[in-house]
Amino acid sequence: MERAAQGADGGGGSNSSSRSSSRATSAGSSPSCSLAGRGVSGRSAAAGLGGGGSRSSPGSVAASPCGGSGPRREPALEGVLSKYTNLLQGWQNRYFVLDFEAGILQYFVNEQSKHQKPRGALSLSGAIVSLSDEAPHMLVVYSANGEMYKLRAADAKEKQFWVTQLRACAKHHMEMNSKMMTQVEGQQKNLVHAIESLPGSGPLTALDQDLLLLKATSAATLSCLGECLSLLQQSLHQASQPSHRPGASESILGWHGPKSHSTEQLKNGTLGSLPSASASITWAILPNSVEDEQTCPPEPEPNSGPELVLSEDEKSDTEDQEETEVGVMEDQRSVILHLISQLKLGMDLTKVVLPTFILEKRSLLEMYADFLAHPDLLLAVTAGATPQDRVIGFVEYYLTAFHEGRKGTLAKKPYNPIIGETFHCSWEVPKDRFKPKRTAAPTPSGHEHPMADDPSKNYKMRFVAEQVSHHPPISCFYCECKEKRLCINTHVWTKSKFMGMSVGVSMIGEGVLRLLEHGEEYVFTLPSAYARSILTIPWVELGGKVSITCAKTGYSATVIFHTKPFYGGKVHRVTAEVKHNPTNTIVCKAHGEWNGTLEFTYNNGETKVIDTTMLPVYPKKIRPLEKQGPMESRNLWREVTRCLRLGDIDAATEQKRRLEEKQRTEERKRENLRTPWRPKYFIQEGDGWVYFNPLWKAH
């Protein structure tokens, strides 16, 4: 179905397909100067435009053959084609004009109206022109902005001629854009060279704030434009070779983005010109797979088995981990500017050394635990009377899980877990507070939920997480409630990329919720995360489409985390749809904000509103540091955390450096002995990882 340009075409013209009278004319010249006026037939004139003959090639500027003194545009292809409008009006004859120099395909109701405003127009730069067997002699033009024209010629020869000319026009303007990008790239390189050639001291240096900002924004802008051009090139390449899917390194016109000698330095971890920053912690980005931040203390004994974590040792977590809600300090800003000015759009941040002051005061493993801050909603899934109630209950829990995982609105980067690092905790949910029905309203409390003193009055949910791999960096976590016969097993691989003025993190992997009482498994994926506005006040948003599926019951859910549009729009939007696939019935829809209010509408006409900020938060129960093992997250990072809390960035950097050096030593030792790493709690099965003693195997 066509878009706005097609919708404007609403009537006038025959529904039959007449023979296209394509011809080349001098756009803007008098009728007596047109090729048709010289007695040249439409088909012959068009052939003259296509190549050879005495006609000037499209896109050039020549003197008017009719004696005019000013320049004119070269011949434009024009003629009648049938255009699909909509289901009611079907195919209608329209008069099309291809302006090769401008790179625009316009259409009019008929030839007589071609000097009026066109009914529609498509820019052909980056457009894809393809053949279609949907109707006889049909071609489709897809513009780069998403609009589409379905066209039909009188015969196969006429169709092929239009396809050839349209593709030639699209290619010509893509080449022009590529040349322009090359010129701009050269100018940007000159700018960077001029800035980097400035002296290290004096009134104007290479680290001047304004110059660093200019350097960073020019590189990010150029990279974004280059990425857009590359996407268009790949689309054209795929359209011209349907049987071949280009690899990541292939390109049509060969523009590969700006090149900088400092890019390789960053990849090799040799960024040496960053100024130091000793200020309070105010900025961070999301977790990513930064290799040099993957630190490692002395390994535990080889092949040591799982450790027993005693419940009686666990205490309610009272540690305040809220982060300071302020923007970037000026001395830190220069570090960030200098760093991002040397990054390339789409660059994997694996080998990039990031400054210590960006760190949040918790491990990524603990952040995963914080996503389970509403265990009552998760346990309530088991009480659903029907498969429909249970899948909807899990979707409700899933949508409310993410806001508590963020400590404040400011973008932060937790410690990257090191191989062998673990995190243990548990929650207790009072049975009298348990909500067994989907329609029950949530407890209107924004405070931590009170815990019952008698353990027999509580449901116990245990959690363990472990970093099982270094390359790639894979985290696993498992939680279970034996009383409710529920467990979740998840493995996640974080992969980050530089995106100009933001950082994107993909959460690769999946989790499985098992309801053993019902024999149901719900497989779910995770959204991507983005740190935006990294030069001012960084903030986090989630984005992407995730899925929840249960093969046994046939229910599935699609959840879309919407990123904020460039202009206007709301932040943190999420929509969801739950469907029973065997009957193709939508049983629930949801919309709202994942960190605010969510509204659910069910197929029985009921509605429910959940305010995530008012849900009760159940504090983790965790052992004190003195009872934790050396590889447990809080004990492992305790000195780095202490220094960050004091605002002593230099001391935190030194503590982090010591851990990094221990990691390198232990890694070299394993390589020399050819001893693979063996996780404590998780076992690799196929492409995934499974807890060593899961509930579904123990019972």
Side-chain angles (χ1 to χ4, degrees):
M1 194 65 66
E2 298 177 51
R3 296 181 180 246
Q6 293 167 290
D9 184 17
S14 170
N15 288 336
S16 63
S17 176
S18 64
R19 185 169 186 82
S20 172
S21 57
S22 306
R23 64 177 180 270
T25 65
S26 299
S29 63
S30 64
S32 61
C33 292
S34 69
L35 297 177
R38 299 182 190 179
V40 181
S41 68
R43 184 66 61 88
S44 301
L49 175 63
S54 60
R55 306 299 173 199
S56 301
S57 62
S60 63
V61 177
S64 171
C66 299
S69 58
R72 65 166 178 86
R73 287 182 178 177
E74 280 303 310
L77 177 65
E78 58 184 60
V80 177
L81 292 171
S82 288
K83 175 178 176 292
Y84 184 82
T85 303
N86 53 48
L87 285 173
L88 294 177
Q89 297 172 325
W91 293 92
Q92 297 180 318
N93 286 344
R94 290 291 178 260
Y95 195 80
F96 282 82
V97 175
L98 170 60
D99 189 332
F100 204 105
E101 184 179 357
I104 296 176
L105 177 65
Q106 300 175 323
Y107 75 91
F108 306 84
V109 173
N110 49 46
E111 183 176 5
Q112 289 71 32
S113 64
K114 71 176 184 178
H115 298 295
Q116 301 174 5
K117 183 179 179 181
R119 298 298 299 269
L122 278 184
S123 173
L124 294 178
S125 178
I128 298 173
V129 183
S130 62
L131 303 177
S132 174
D133 56 5
E134 184 179 332
H137 317 308
M138 180 177 166
L139 62 137
V140 185
V141 184
Y142 302 90
S143 74
N145 66 1
E147 290 190 72
M148 174 184 66
Y149 284 179
K150 292 183 177 181
L151 307 175
R152 202 167 71 187
D155 54 36
K157 190 173 183 179
E158 192 81 29
K159 174 190 69 175
Q160 189 57 50
F161 176 72
W162 274 96
V163 169
T164 301
Q165 298 305 315
L166 290 169
R167 285 177 175 173
C169 181
K171 181 179 179 181
H172 169 73
H173 284 275
M174 282 294 294
E175 289 174 344
M176 294 297 293
N177 289 342
S178 182
K179 292 178 182 179
M180 186 180 303
M181 284 296 303
T182 301
Q183 294 175 356
V184 174
E185 179 191 355
Q187 294 173 351
Q188 196 269 341
K189 283 184 177 180
N190 293 337
L191 172 65
V192 171
H193 178 72
I195 294 175
E196 293 179 346
S197 299
L198 291 172
S201 60
L204 188 62
T205 71
L207 294 180
D208 180 82
Q209 291 286 305
D210 293 335
L211 293 181
L212 284 173
L213 181 60
L214 177 62
K215 182 178 170 185
T217 54
S218 65
T221 302
L222 180 63
S223 297
C224 290
L225 292 174
E227 183 75 4
C228 293
L229 179 61
S230 177
L231 291 174
L232 292 176
Q233 292 171 340
Q234 292 178 20
S235 298
L236 286 174
H237 192 46
Q238 293 175 13
S240 62
Q241 301 182 25
S243 61
H244 173 65
R245 190 173 186 86
S249 61
E250 293 179 326
S251 176
I252 301 175
L253 303 177
W255 194 89
H256 299 288
K259 311 240 181 351
S260 172
H261 64 86
S262 53
T263 301
E264 289 303 316
Q265 293 178 348
L266 284 165
K267 289 183 178 179
N268 295 326
T270 57
L271 183 61
S273 56
L274 289 176
S276 61
S278 299
S280 59
I281 307 160
T282 57
W283 184 88
I285 61 175
L286 289 165
N288 59 61
S289 54
V290 181
E291 178 182 351
D292 294 279
E293 291 195 14
Q294 294 251 347
T295 56
C296 187
E299 289 187 19
E301 295 181 6
N303 304 324
S304 58
E307 298 174 357
L308 178 64
V309 176
L310 300 177
S311 299
E312 54 267 26
D313 291 338
E314 294 180 332
K315 307 296 181 183
S316 293
D317 184 23
T318 58
E319 186 171 327
D320 180 18
Q321 294 182 324
E322 200 71 23
E323 299 291 338
T324 308
E325 298 289 318
V326 294
V328 179
M329 304 296 290
E330 285 303 315
D331 51 352
Q332 298 172 358
R333 181 186 178 93
S334 64
V335 178
I336 301 166
L337 281 169
H338 191 76
L339 178 65
I340 68 176
S341 70
Q342 300 177 74
L343 298 178
K344 180 179 177 182
L345 187 73
M347 179 178 175
D348 189 348
L349 300 181
T350 300
K351 298 296 181 73
V352 179
V353 180
L354 298 177
T356 304
F357 65 78
I358 71 170
L359 297 176
E360 183 181 347
K361 299 181 288 292
R362 63 171 173 170
S363 171
L364 179 61
L365 297 184
E366 183 170 355
M367 190 187 80
Y368 290 139
D370 290 333
F371 287 141
L372 295 166
H374 305 308
D376 55 330
L377 294 181
L378 179 59
L379 297 182
V381 176
T382 63
T386 65
Q388 179 174 316
D389 287 344
R390 291 191 289 273
V391 68
I392 291 175
F394 183 49
V395 171
E396 290 177 354
Y397 161 75
Y398 186 94
L399 293 179
T400 60
F402 293 96
H403 81 102
E404 190 60 29
R406 301 305 316 162
K407 296 299 181 181
T409 59
L410 194 64
K412 293 290 181 180
K413 180 194 163 305
Y415 307 136
N416 288 321
I418 65 168
I419 191 168
E421 178 182 339
T422 62
F423 182 80
H424 302 264
C425 68
S426 65
W427 296 266
E428 291 184 354
V429 181
K431 295 179 180 180
D432 60 347
R433 302 277 184 162
F434 181 65
K435 299 184 290 295
K437 294 183 179 180
R438 171 166 60 85
T439 55
T443 304
S445 172
H447 304 288
E448 291 185 349
H449 204 292
M451 294 289 102
D453 294 331
D454 186 356
S456 65
K457 297 180 180 180
N458 298 332
Y459 290 118
K460 186 85 168 183
M461 192 164 74
R462 303 177 186 277
F463 176 94
V464 58
E466 182 178 10
Q467 191 72 8
V468 300
S469 173
H470 181 58
H471 294 295
I474 299 176
S475 305
C476 297
F477 65 84
Y478 172 84
C479 68
E480 69 175 25
C481 178
K482 291 183 178 180
E483 298 94 328
K484 303 300 293 182
R485 300 193 66 199
L486 169 151
C487 61
I488 294 179
N489 191 100
T490 304
H491 64 275
V492 183
W493 166 25
T494 58
K495 185 175 183 180
S496 62
K497 285 190 176 181
F498 176 64
M499 302 171 62
M501 291 301 173
S502 62
V503 173
V505 181
S506 298
M507 298 290 191
I508 304 169
E510 66 179 25
V512 180
L513 165 68
R514 287 178 171 86
L515 306 181
L516 302 184
E517 183 177 346
H518 305 286
E520 296 171 357
E521 296 183 0
Y522 297 84
V523 181
F524 60 91
T525 55
L526 297 169
S528 298
Y530 302 90
R532 308 293 194 189
S533 304
I534 60 179
L535 280 180
T536 53
I537 301 179
W539 55 281
V540 176
E541 69 171 341
L542 302 179
K545 179 187 292 186
V546 301
S547 63
I548 300 172
T549 58
C550 180
K552 178 180 178 180
T553 64
Y555 282 96
S556 67
T558 300
V559 181
I560 301 177
F561 293 86
H562 301 268
T563 56
K564 183 182 181 300
F566 191 78
Y567 291 107
K570 295 182 178 180
V571 296
H572 309 312
R573 288 182 56 242
V574 63
T575 56
E577 185 176 274
V578 183
K579 179 186 290 187
H580 185 240
N581 295 298
T583 60
N584 200 32
T585 303
I586 297 175
V587 299
C588 176
K589 287 187 175 182
H591 66 91
E593 300 170 349
W594 57 266
N595 62 350
T597 301
L598 296 162
E599 182 176 347
F600 297 84
T601 304
Y602 310 103
N603 62 341
N604 62 1
E606 295 181 4
T607 61
K608 181 166 72 172
V609 176
I610 297 178
D611 185 349
T612 62
T613 64
M614 299 299 292
L615 292 174
V617 176
Y618 289 75
K620 301 187 296 288
K621 300 195 72 174
I622 189 170
R623 289 175 299 163
L625 290 178
E626 59 271 15
K627 293 190 177 183
Q628 292 186 18
M631 296 297 291
E632 293 191 54
S633 296
R634 288 195 181 178
N635 196 22
L636 175 67
W637 296 96
R638 65 189 303 174
E639 286 304 311
V640 178
T641 300
R642 183 183 64 83
C643 295
L644 289 177
R645 288 189 182 280
L646 295 174
D648 192 341
I649 304 302
D650 292 336
T653 302
E654 174 60 21
Q655 293 295 331
K656 179 169 161 290
R657 186 198 65 77
R658 292 179 182 179
L659 295 178
E660 291 171 345
E661 185 56 37
K662 290 177 182 178
Q663 177 197 28
R664 298 185 187 100
T665 301
E666 296 297 336
E667 190 170 9
R668 286 193 296 267
K669 189 182 301 182
R670 288 197 301 271
E671 289 178 353
N672 293 335
L673 297 175
R674 296 184 179 180
T675 303
W677 175 259
R678 294 180 59 183
K680 276 189 176 183
Y681 298 100
F682 291 86
I683 302 169
Q684 187 169 15
E685 292 187 1
D687 294 332
W689 293 79
V690 177
Y691 186 60
F692 81 104
N693 187 30
L695 196 59
W696 70 86
K697 292 184 179 180
H699 297 274

